[in-house]
Amino acid sequence: MAVVSSSGQRLGNRVAIAAVVVITIIFLLPIYWIGSTAFKPRNLATTAPPTIVFQPEISPFVKLFTKRVQLKPNEKIDVANAPWWEQMIFAGGERISRTGKGEIQLSGYPDRFINSLIVAITSTVLAVGMGTITAYGFSRFKVKGEADLLFFILSTRMLPPIVVAIPMFLMYRAAGLNDSHLGLIILYTAFNVSFAVWLMKGFIDEIPREYEEAALVDGYTRLEAFRKIVLPEAATGIAATAVFCFITAWNEYAFALILTNKKAQTAPPFIPSQIGSGLPDWTVIAAGTFLFLLPVAIFTFLLRNHLLRGMSFGAIRK
Amino acid sequence: MARIRLENIAKSFGNHMAVGGLDIDVADGEFFVLLGPTGAGKTTTLRMIAGLEKPTVGRVLINEVDVNAWGPAERDVALVLQQYSLYPRLSVRDNLSFPLRSRIRGLTQPEIDARIDYAAKTLRIGHLLDRKTDRLSGGEMQRVSIGRAIVREPQVFLMDEPLSALDAKLREALRSELKDLQMRLGATFIFVTHDQVEAMTMGDRIAVMNKGRIIQVGKPQEVYSHPVNTFVASFVGSPVINLIAGQVAGNAAVVSPGAFELPIAGGGREGRYTFGIRPEDVKVEQGAPVVARVHDIENHGIEKVVTLRIGETLVRANVPARVAIGLEDEVRFGWNAEKVMLFDADSGVNIRAA
């Protein structure tokens, strides 16, 4: 019997592994598609059936970061003396646009990417910071109407945010927050802080308050006890919360599209705007998207141990 | 070192009264035990002394100074808890030095090292100093947390059931160690426990608490021999005291319904009472006045606790282990008339102690 059941178990394991592999492939397919398109020559980007084997090129990334103009029919170009990356542009019938002094003109992408980093990182730090302190307050002190307040905080997530897009737009215009970093940071922080409060409250509730009380009796202030005892214990929860907040802020599209257009525009609304008129160059869009994926992937990868522990937090501790 | 005084201390959480009007006076260098069942308000009382809870009414005085407005840090008390008492992630040495590094103390590194050395020697934990706390056994953890209290050289040691999470053997060993430590330090200890054995063996004085109030304060022997009511009588002492409903007629206790009649010293006014007699004062012997059957036998090593059945009434008696006795045997017993306690049948108050 034991043999039968263990072989049955082994079969079950194999089925499970096979299922995981299939699901992983399904999830990774779009990422592969974006990644491969980002390195394709333009004429292979939209072939049907898709081209699997091709000579990868770097030209979509060169195009992504530069402003280009079409070559005029009789325009003279100095192909031999041009750097290798500019030669790729010539091959596509374009040249890189330069200022009068001959400096290369960059596209809008690097600025938008930096905007995305500024907005996402700042709003994540603010949301997680405020969320942690608020959650600590709710967890450790008797707050009048605690349940109602917590429900109110949660209720801010019950409406699809896009419902308030037009009022937000009008308010932001009146307040002069349109197309500003501050505007997006406030919005994303407000959006994430409710989530951060709830998540962090769960984590902080799990930390025995005896630790802090011992520190209080041992001669530390409440703030010192929070910093020396609670924060290190809550590190896992803070990391998990930060990843979620960062992803939300990083990916946000609708409000960024409505509330920003140039100075503070983030990458999500910018990338599709490059489709432009005429024939879209999908390789450039793919290159922009591919680079856009990297920060989240790196951030999540760095915090992966915390994330795993964070997910199973309640399960592991008694 | 310090004298601790509580004046009419009460604490309510919402509508729930945790502690209602306590007066306690703990002398300098005394080992004072707060004893009571779960929910008696012992821990709340301790937390009010530590400054972790503010009393709803009343005053806490340390060395006759009102410390109600002081935070825990300023009161200079040390607290040892049942569990979660050590800082996680820190080594034993860091745990011991943590309270010394507080800004309010401002000690130098050599001073800190000297105190840690002293505590480690006192508690024999020198070999553990560089270990992480999650690599310690339960007994080692409690030793370290007592060490963390010792290095502070505090006004008073507050202990909240520090031994309750340990196994029986270790508890016994640490019990005598703690008492020994307290005598060597000459420090004031306030010790919370629900274990009457801990209270009896360690306490200079015991305060028995129930439902937020102090029922009786006294030396262990006083509390044991002269409990003020049936609650204290049955809470203190093991095996538990016999409480038998009956009536006084002349100089005899008549146990209803007509089960047996035994003398009581001094007699009492006629009426209904609850008689209290400890099992060691019940004598099972040839020629004793009352006939009973053996209902149950519990073997405790040097002695047996035998439950006797007389009609519907059950009486526990201590019998030396060597006495051969079997279930349903017919035996005779009597009691030490001097030791019988009389409690009011309705209120449970000890008539003679009051």
Side-chain angles (χ1 to χ4, degrees):
Chain A
M1 280 311 282
V3 178
V4 175
S5 81
S6 88
S7 80
Q9 242 169 19
R10 226 177 298 149
L11 186 70
N13 277 347
R14 280 184 194 157
V15 171
I17 290 169
V20 168
V21 168
V22 170
I23 291 168
T24 310
I25 288 173
I26 292 172
F27 274 97
L28 288 179
L29 202 59
I31 293 169
Y32 163 75
W33 194 292
I34 293 286
S36 70
T37 307
F39 291 96
K40 275 179 184 172
R42 188 174 180 182
N43 59 340
L44 296 180
T46 51
T47 53
T51 313
I52 306 289
V53 183
F54 58 91
Q55 184 78 39
E57 306 194 343
I58 203 81
S59 62
F61 291 92
V62 177
K63 292 182 196 167
L64 176 69
F65 281 98
T66 55
K67 270 192 181 149
R68 287 150 287 123
V69 289
Q70 291 270 311
L71 286 173
K72 289 176 204 133
N74 295 322
E75 190 168 349
K76 275 176 69 181
I77 46 171
D78 187 358
V79 179
N81 283 333
W84 59 272
W85 41 267
E86 195 162 5
Q87 293 180 4
M88 293 190 299
I89 304 298
F90 292 148
E94 291 175 321
R95 67 173 171 81
I96 290 169
S97 121
R98 289 172 195 266
T99 61
K101 290 179 189 162
E103 287 165 342
I104 294 168
Q105 285 192 310
L106 290 178
S107 72
Y109 186 78
D111 284 343
R112 305 309 202 278
F113 195 87
I114 289 165
N115 285 345
S116 269
L117 283 176
I118 293 171
V119 170
I121 290 173
T122 315
S123 70
T124 299
V125 169
L126 287 176
V128 174
M130 298 198 298
T132 305
I133 292 167
T134 311
Y136 179 75
F138 275 120
S139 176
R140 292 297 193 259
F141 299 99
K142 279 192 205 79
V143 181
K144 244 192 180 153
E146 174 173 338
D148 295 335
L149 282 171
L150 280 170
F151 180 80
F152 168 73
I153 290 172
L154 187 68
S155 71
T156 60
R157 297 292 294 244
M158 290 179 179
L159 205 66
I162 199 67
V163 171
V164 295
I166 291 170
M168 286 302 298
F169 174 74
L170 296 173
M171 284 193 280
Y172 265 47
R173 199 175 55 181
L177 286 169
N178 264 347
D179 202 18
S180 69
H181 292 107
L182 183 64
L184 280 189
I185 289 168
I186 291 173
L187 186 74
Y188 295 166
T189 305
F191 192 67
N192 274 332
V193 78
S194 61
F195 176 70
V197 168
W198 271 83
L199 210 56
M200 285 312 301
K201 181 165 185 300
F203 285 110
I204 292 176
D205 281 345
E206 298 262 337
I207 303 170
R209 59 172 67 202
E210 281 86 344
Y211 292 150
E212 293 145 73
E213 290 180 345
L216 290 180
V217 172
D218 277 345
Y220 290 87
T221 62
R222 175 65 75 168
L223 202 65
E224 286 172 325
F226 176 75
R227 200 163 49 82
K228 285 180 191 276
I229 306 295
V230 180
L231 278 189
E233 284 297 295
T236 290
I238 290 171
T241 310
V243 167
F244 288 122
C245 289
F246 184 79
I247 290 175
T248 308
W250 186 254
N251 285 351
E252 206 285 328
Y253 173 75
F255 281 95
L257 181 69
I258 296 165
L259 298 178
T260 63
N261 47 47
K262 190 160 193 290
K263 192 164 69 67
Q265 193 179 42
T266 53
F270 175 79
I271 294 170
S273 78
Q274 293 313 96
I275 293 175
S277 53
L279 278 177
D281 190 341
W282 288 106
T283 62
V284 178
I285 290 165
T289 310
F290 183 70
L291 285 185
F292 184 70
L293 289 175
L294 290 181
V296 173
I298 292 167
F299 189 47
T300 312
F301 182 76
L302 289 178
L303 296 180
R304 66 194 181 285
N305 289 332
H306 282 300
L307 272 180
L308 269 181
R309 259 193 292 155
M311 301 290 184
S312 49
F313 197 55
I316 290 175
R317 286 201 154 181
K318 6 167 226 171
Chain B
M1 297 303 134
R3 172 181 177 194
I4 307 293
R5 215 148 61 75
L6 305 186
E7 268 183 14
N8 190 32
I9 282 279
K11 176 73 186 177
S12 305
F13 298 103
N15 292 328
H16 171 69
M17 185 201 74
V19 172
L22 298 191
D23 287 291
I24 296 179
D25 191 346
V26 181
D28 184 13
E30 189 174 26
F31 198 121
F32 191 85
V33 178
L34 294 173
L35 173 69
T38 310
K42 318 178 293 278
T43 295
T44 308
T45 306
L46 201 71
R47 289 169 62 85
M48 287 192 284
I49 299 172
L52 291 169
E53 305 280 357
K54 289 242 180 292
T56 315
V57 293
R59 300 202 298 164
V60 178
L61 299 109
I62 299 179
N63 283 333
E64 296 300 298
V65 179
D66 185 336
V67 296
N68 266 16
W70 298 12
E74 300 155 285
R75 296 193 184 190
D76 195 21
V77 299
L79 186 60
V80 179
L81 302 170
Q82 180 182 342
Q83 52 172 350
Y84 299 126
S85 47
L86 294 178
Y87 301 115
R89 290 161 204 271
L90 297 185
S91 68
V92 169
R93 185 186 296 280
D94 291 337
N95 258 288
L96 292 177
S97 67
F98 189 85
L100 303 179
R101 292 191 194 287
S102 149
R103 277 186 285 121
I104 58 169
R105 262 175 270 281
L107 293 174
T108 62
Q109 190 61 43
E111 288 173 309
I112 292 176
D113 290 342
R115 288 199 189 187
I116 291 178
D117 272 358
Y118 173 74
K121 236 176 253 142
T122 309
L123 294 163
R124 301 192 309 276
I125 50 173
H127 59 295
L128 302 173
L129 282 178
D130 294 313
R131 258 200 233 167
K132 285 268 187 248
T133 54
D134 54 5
R135 303 282 307 275
L136 299 178
S137 69
E140 290 168 341
M141 276 192 176
Q142 284 316 70
R143 272 218 185 81
V144 174
S145 58
I146 292 164
R148 208 180 63 202
I150 291 178
V151 294
R152 298 257 318 265
E153 300 174 3
Q155 300 263 15
V156 55
F157 289 80
L158 305 176
M159 308 222 164
D160 190 357
E161 311 225 7
L163 309 180
S164 301
L166 306 176
D167 61 65
K169 258 251 149 22
L170 203 55
R171 201 154 61 213
E172 212 166 298
L174 272 178
R175 210 155 65 200
S176 48
E177 264 184 55
L178 256 183
K179 179 67 193 170
D180 185 49
L181 177 74
Q182 186 260 344
M183 303 223 281
R184 264 187 297 153
L185 296 176
T188 313
F189 270 47
I190 300 180
F191 190 99
V192 161
T193 182
H194 64 263
D195 181 347
Q196 55 95 20
V197 179
E198 282 179 12
M200 296 292 287
T201 51
M202 291 193 286
D204 293 326
R205 278 194 304 152
I206 301 174
V208 183
M209 292 185 67
N210 192 29
K211 295 179 182 157
R213 296 191 183 277
I214 288 188
I215 310 296
Q216 185 172 8
V217 182
K219 294 201 167 73
Q221 199 49 49
E222 278 168 32
V223 174
Y224 186 79
S225 311
H226 305 288
V228 295
N229 63 16
T230 49
F231 172 80
V232 176
S234 58
F235 200 81
V236 175
S238 172
V240 72
I241 193 170
N242 292 298
L243 293 172
I244 307 159
Q247 287 166 13
V248 169
N251 275 350
V254 181
V255 172
S256 53
F260 62 88
E261 201 177 313
L262 281 168
I264 48 171
R269 275 199 309 154
E270 306 217 337
R272 289 169 51 242
Y273 291 97
T274 301
F275 301 106
I277 183 83
R278 298 218 176 257
E280 66 265 29
D281 297 320
V282 178
K283 306 283 175 225
V284 175
E285 55 199 3
Q286 294 288 323
V290 184
V291 177
R293 286 208 176 266
V294 175
H295 185 72
D296 187 39
I297 304 171
E298 243 179 72
N299 210 326
H300 284 233
I302 57 160
E303 59 177 21
K304 291 173 187 163
V305 178
V306 177
T307 308
L308 307 170
R309 189 177 66 237
I310 316 98
E312 308 241 304
T313 308
L314 297 177
V315 176
R316 279 174 302 278
N318 283 8
V319 174
R322 59 191 151 68
V323 175
I325 206 162
L327 283 178
E328 296 301 326
D329 284 357
E330 196 178 275
V331 293
R332 302 186 75 86
F333 78 97
W335 67 28
N336 183 345
E338 300 288 331
K339 298 281 189 171
V340 178
M341 307 168 196
L342 258 69
F343 299 101
D344 184 278
D346 299 316
S347 65
V349 172
N350 190 333
I351 307 276
R352 287 166 175 174

